[in-house]
């Protein structure tokens, strides 16, 4: 399929088209994603006996967001909410719905179109099911694993929506609006 589509018509990640002040796109993406995922995992490994994981995760996760190739304002805007909701996930399966915040942040920094945000229903639904199914705190690792997989799948679905959305029928080109000098109205 990729052989039949001209190179200039293939879909590209919007973030890959941004001018970078340092580094290359792919290494920054991999490093940022690794920091976010490892940071989240470290926070979730935290217990009263392993508080060092909370510290390490709370440093790794913001570092991951900082490295991602994306507009700086979006990267900065997501750090505190994502970290806060990651800490809330320590409450067990009843807080599995909190995965909606890191997923929304991911969609924001990856410059996904608004239509792709429909996937945010998946971690919420997963959280509702998991909180009803897992009543004991010892099942938190199951909740975290399932919620992580659902969030990752939702991110890929959002990407597929973005690709499909970009290939929809082209709209008619907008005419340039000009201001009428006599009436002060838009033409």
């Amino acid at each position: 399929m990729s052989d039949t589509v001209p190179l200039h018509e293939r879909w590209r990640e919007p973030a890959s088209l941004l001018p970078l002040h340092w580094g290359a796109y792919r290494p920054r993406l991999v490093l940022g994603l690794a920091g976010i995922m490892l940071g989240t995992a470290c926070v979730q490994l935290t217990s009263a006996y392993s508080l060092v994981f909370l510290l390490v995760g709370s440093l790794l996760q913001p570092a991951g967001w900082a490295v991602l190739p994306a507009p700086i304002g979006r990267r900065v805007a997501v750090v505190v909410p994502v970290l806060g909701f990651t800490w809330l996930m320590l409450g067990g399966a009843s807080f599995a719905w909190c995965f909606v915040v890191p997923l929304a942040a991911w969609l924001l920094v990856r410059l996904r179109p608004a239509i792709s945000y429909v996937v945010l229903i998946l971690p919420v639904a997963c959280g509702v099911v998991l909180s009803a199914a897992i009543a004991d705190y010892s099942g938190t690792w199951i909740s975290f694993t399932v919620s992580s997989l659902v969030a990752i799948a939702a991110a890929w679905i959002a990407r597929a929506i973005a690709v499909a959305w970009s290939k929809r029928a082209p709209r008619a080109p907008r005419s340039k609006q000009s201001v009428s000098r006599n009436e002060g109205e838009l033409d």
Side-chain angles (χ1 to χ4, degrees), residues 33 36-45 61 65 78 81-108 117 119-128 130-131 134 139-155:
L33 184 57
I36 294 165
M37 293 181 76
L38 287 172
T40 302
C42 283
V43 169
Q44 296 309 305
L45 287 172
Q61 194 183 77
W65 289 109
V78 301
V82 171
L83 193 55
F85 277 85
T86 302
W87 291 339
L88 273 177
M89 289 181 225
L90 286 170
S94 59
F95 290 93
W97 62 270
C98 290
F99 267 92
V100 73
V101 174
L103 177 60
W106 180 256
L107 300 179
L108 182 71
Y117 284 68
V119 300
L120 295 177
I121 193 72
L122 296 174
V124 173
C126 177
V128 169
L130 288 172
S131 65
I134 302 173
T140 299
W141 70 272
I142 296 169
S143 170
F144 179 74
T145 303
V146 171
S147 296
S148 296
L149 293 174
V150 167
I152 291 167

Side-chain angles (χ1 to χ4, degrees), residues 62-76:
W65 289 109
V67 170
L68 276 178
I72 186 109
R74 290 176 184 237
R75 290 182 283 154
V76 169

